[in-house]
Every structure is written in C-alpha cells, then in structure tokens.
Amino acid sequence: PVYAGVTTDKDGEMRIGTTGRGCYTCAPDSINAALLVILDWTAAGTSIGDTLRPAVVIQNSGVTTITAATIGWQVNNVAQTSVNWTGSLATGQSDTVSLGYHVCVSGYNDIVAYLTSLGTLIDDNAGDDTVSASNYTCSNIMSGTYTVGDTGYFKSMDEAVNVLNRCGMGGPVTLAFLPGTYYMNVTIGQITGMSATNTLTITSYLKDSSTVVLQRADDASQNWAPIMINGASYVEISHVTLCGVSPSSSMYTYSHGIMISGNSEHINIHNCWIYVPKAFSNAVTGTAQNPVYLQGAGVRDVEIHHNLIEGGGCGFYVYGGGTTSRIADINIHHNEVGYIDYYTVYMYYADSITFSDNQIHQRRGNFTVGNMYNMYCYYANANIERNIFDLEHVYYGFYTYSFGDTTSGYN
C-alpha cells in the first residue's frame, strides 16, 4: 500500500493503491476504480439472527477523477440491492460506502462486492473491481459425528478445524473422513470445551486406514506433517493413513507422518499406517526423517499402539526440553515398525517411557545399508521389554547415557 510521503516508486512512477512489485509500480490506468476491502464483516463470533452492516472502500487508482459508481453485492450467491455512490475522487483518494445489512444465518455467510459501472466512464482495469469476505455463524457448539470429504459436512480438514476453533466443543466430536486422499498441513491446538468428556476423534468413515490418506501438502522443506497437534488434549486418531511423502518434491529436509508438541496431553494414536519416504538410495541418518515426532517437555500421556510405522532414519523421535524438563508418560506398544535405517527410537530428556511388544525391521534391499544405533536413550528413563528386533547392520543394539537417571527427580 501507499505510505504517506512516498508518492513515487524507484523509477519515479506515481504510486497508487496496492502493488505486489515492492519498490516498483505499474503506470496508472487512465480510468480505474478499485474496491480495496470489505469492512464490518466479522469472521466469527456471531449468532443466528445477528445483523452485519457491511461497507466497502472504493479508491481511484487511475488518473481521471471519478464522480459516480454503482456497487453490486451478494451474500451466499444471492444478489442484494446495488448501491449508487456519487462524489469526487481524485487520483489515489478513497471513500467508504455502506452497502446495507445482512441477518446472519447458520454456517457460512460469504459476501462479494463488485463494481458494475462508473457512471459515464469505462473502467480500464476490471481486475481490481471485486472483493470478498467470509463469516461463520455457529448454530451451537459442536458435538457429534461430522463427515469430511467432497460430499461430507466439511469439505476439508482445514475447514473442520477452522469451525471447531470458532464454535468450540459441547460434547465429543468425531471427524469421519470419506474415502480419498486429502492434502494438508493442519495444526490442532486447544479448542474451547475440549476435555476428557469432550474428546476429538479423527478417523475414517469405514474404519479402514487403507481408505483414507492424510498426506502432507508442502514441498518437504518445512518441519511439518499432515497433522500437527500443538497444545491440544484428548485427541484420538485412528484408522487413517498418515503420509509424510511430499506430492511436489523428492528432496526432503524433513518428513513426518504425525507431530505432537507444545502442551499436548492425552493423545491416542492407533490402527493407523504412518509412513515417510522409504526408498532413499542410501541409508537415512539423523532425526529429521521420522514417522512419529514427539517434542517438548509439555507433551504428556501419549499412547501409540497397533500401528504400521514405516520409513525414515528414525521410527520414533521422543525429545524433551532438558534434564529438568522432560517429555513424559509415553506408551509405545504393539506396533509393526519397518524400513528403519538408523534409530528405532531416539529418546532424549525423557521420563516414564514404555516401549513394549513392538516388532522392528531394519530396511534392506538394493541400497547402501546403514548401521543402526537402534534404541538411543540419552537422559531417559524407560521400560523396554518384549520387543522383537530384526536387525542386520548394527553399531549398537542399545545406546544409553544417564539411562535411569534420577538426579533431577525423575525416575
């Protein structure tokens, strides 16, 4: 946008309105009115029957003075009465025009405003004549089962989480995905009303993990996953595939199937297929590629069980904050873990960890096989029992440092 005192760009051209070219701007059109923004259309917090009174900002982005305009508008694709504006706007000047009013209905209230005429003038640029805004009005706080998919109650996970954040939870909520592949990088934080009674469940409609794939949507350059739980509690994920494979890149800085961080507590993940890339030409080392990522001293009471977990250099990354701030109460059991190159579990600053009744298989095949550290336990207190390790190339079966340490009050 134009700042006071900066009226020309780097080349001396007049700056008008908003430009996406930084210190440069396009030469102004001879005749051009633009709608900049819709005002007084709150995104959320409204109830059924509340009245919104929207207004729109019109600006002269051309050279010729504008003295008249007609603005059309619609809500939820229903045309409203057009508004005729008169006045005098020289180059760069703007005015606010009231459109009328709208009574909120349950769900989305989507508004679009657009210029239909400039009196006797003809607009040279129609590309800046339309603006839009969205409101979501809650009929009540959410409770029950909602399908997600093209024909579902929600079209996407992003939409479902957005509505949950706006409306809150009044009972247990289940998001049941219809069969398909869904691309996402969704963060689930604490939602108003979430509790031991009002739990959030994410699952497949058919209770079959092969029918629903929740796949990361980014290029794998960010430390993201398809689902990232950050500060939420009482969340259950079951019977879905969590895929850390990028749809747009084969270069992986990070890959995760699920991430849990912040003050996240009481999380249950079961009967899922969780995987990241598992066909690298060389063994993957380090901890940037892992299907299950748990990080932070605020993470408590997480149970991961009866899943198929595959790929990466590290099956489970379990990392606290320090010797006196540890991730704790993590129970990993009855999982099938395969295509692992370097660590089965990398636990660091961890307390009260149970790793039991799992089957682990080192990746093999036509590639440069790595040497595993397998169970890496550093300032960690854990019960590791009744597991089956199918390993061929190993540095250490168990690598421990200050294992069972109680000097900081942990045991």
Side-chain angles (χ1 to χ4, degrees):
V2 175
Y3 291 95
V6 184
T7 58
T8 59
D9 72 2
K10 188 175 180 182
D11 291 336
E13 297 287 347
M14 182 184 301
R15 297 187 72 239
I16 299 174
T18 300
T19 175
R21 302 180 62 198
C23 61
Y24 296 95
T25 190
C26 297
D29 296 303
S30 175
I31 302 172
N32 182 26
L35 297 184
L36 301 184
V37 65
I38 293 175
L39 304 175
D40 303 322
W41 195 266
T42 56
T46 50
S47 302
I48 297 173
D50 285 353
T51 299
L52 297 176
R53 301 184 183 277
V56 66
V57 176
I58 182 174
Q59 177 182 265
N60 184 356
S61 295
V63 175
T64 304
T65 298
I66 295 172
T67 58
T70 299
I71 302 171
W73 63 296
Q74 60 185 37
V75 179
N76 293 341
N77 296 316
V78 177
Q80 310 295 310
T81 303
S82 296
V83 175
N84 294 313
W85 170 89
T86 57
S88 181
L89 295 179
T91 300
Q93 291 184 329
S94 62
D95 195 11
T96 299
V97 183
S98 297
L99 297 178
Y101 71 92
H102 169 73
V103 178
C104 293
V105 298
S106 175
Y108 286 101
N109 295 265
D110 295 329
I111 183 173
V112 179
Y114 44 91
L115 286 167
T116 60
S117 72
L118 295 179
T120 60
L121 302 177
I122 303 298
D123 199 327
D124 292 330
N125 180 8
D128 53 10
D129 289 356
T130 302
V131 287
S132 61
S134 183
N135 160 277
Y136 191 91
T137 295
C138 301
S139 58
N140 48 52
I141 51 182
M142 293 182 65
S143 179
T145 298
Y146 302 84
T147 53
V148 181
D150 288 341
T151 59
Y153 186 90
F154 296 115
K155 300 302 181 187
S156 68
M157 182 68 169
D158 289 281
E159 180 186 9
V161 172
N162 183 36
V163 173
L164 277 167
N165 287 334
R166 291 178 176 186
C167 300
M169 298 171 59
V173 172
T174 296
L175 301 178
F177 279 83
L178 301 175
T181 298
Y182 301 82
Y183 297 99
M184 63 182 70
N185 297 106
V186 174
T187 299
I188 301 172
Q190 187 67 15
I191 298 167
T192 301
M194 184 177 269
S195 68
T197 301
N198 299 345
T199 58
L200 174 62
T201 300
I202 300 167
T203 189
S204 58
Y205 184 77
L206 298 178
K207 297 296 182 184
D208 181 350
S209 63
S210 68
T211 64
V212 171
V213 179
L214 309 183
Q215 183 171 351
R216 71 183 302 168
D218 64 301
D219 64 1
S221 64
Q222 303 296 320
N223 199 20
W224 292 343
I227 292 183
M228 296 166 283
I229 300 173
N230 187 351
S233 56
Y234 302 103
V235 178
E236 178 181 357
I237 302 175
S238 73
H239 300 96
V240 296
T241 295
L242 297 169
C243 175
V245 176
S246 170
S248 60
S249 175
S250 60
M251 302 298 293
Y252 286 86
T253 305
Y254 303 97
S255 57
H256 313 294
I258 178 74
M259 299 178 71
I260 303 174
S261 60
N263 294 320
S264 297
E265 300 181 327
H266 316 301
I267 311 298
N268 186 3
I269 302 172
H270 63 93
N271 296 100
C272 294
W273 180 20
I274 310 172
Y275 73 95
V276 298
K278 48 188 178 179
F280 290 106
S281 58
N282 295 302
V284 179
T285 60
T287 58
Q289 324 283 339
N290 39 73
V292 179
Y293 177 100
L294 313 178
Q295 196 277 325
V299 175
R300 290 284 189 275
D301 188 21
V302 176
E303 185 176 8
I304 303 170
H305 60 102
H306 296 93
N307 302 285
L308 174 60
I309 296 172
E310 295 183 320
C314 172
F316 302 89
Y317 179 84
V318 183
Y319 198 103
T323 56
T324 60
S325 55
R326 303 193 187 191
I327 190 171
D329 301 316
I330 311 300
N331 188 0
I332 301 170
H333 64 93
H334 293 94
N335 299 285
E336 185 85 15
V337 186
Y339 293 91
I340 302 300
D341 285 345
Y342 208 57
Y343 304 106
T344 295
V345 179
Y346 184 91
M347 65 177 81
Y348 209 119
Y349 302 135
D351 183 58
S352 300
I353 310 298
T354 298
F355 189 82
S356 65
D357 301 289
N358 302 286
Q359 295 191 31
I360 296 90
H361 308 277
Q362 184 179 15
R363 180 164 70 114
R364 297 174 173 86
N366 186 24
F367 70 102
T368 304
V369 179
N371 291 305
M372 290 190 69
Y373 275 71
N374 194 30
M375 302 295 296
Y376 186 98
C377 310
Y378 194 98
Y379 282 104
N381 303 302
N383 293 322
I384 303 171
E385 55 190 4
R386 298 187 307 276
N387 301 285
I388 298 174
F389 297 96
D390 172 25
L391 313 176
E392 184 172 313
H393 299 271
V394 180
Y395 275 136
Y396 302 95
F398 289 80
Y399 181 95
T400 64
Y401 182 90
S402 292
F403 186 74
D405 168 58
T406 60
T407 59
S408 299
Y410 292 92
N411 53 62

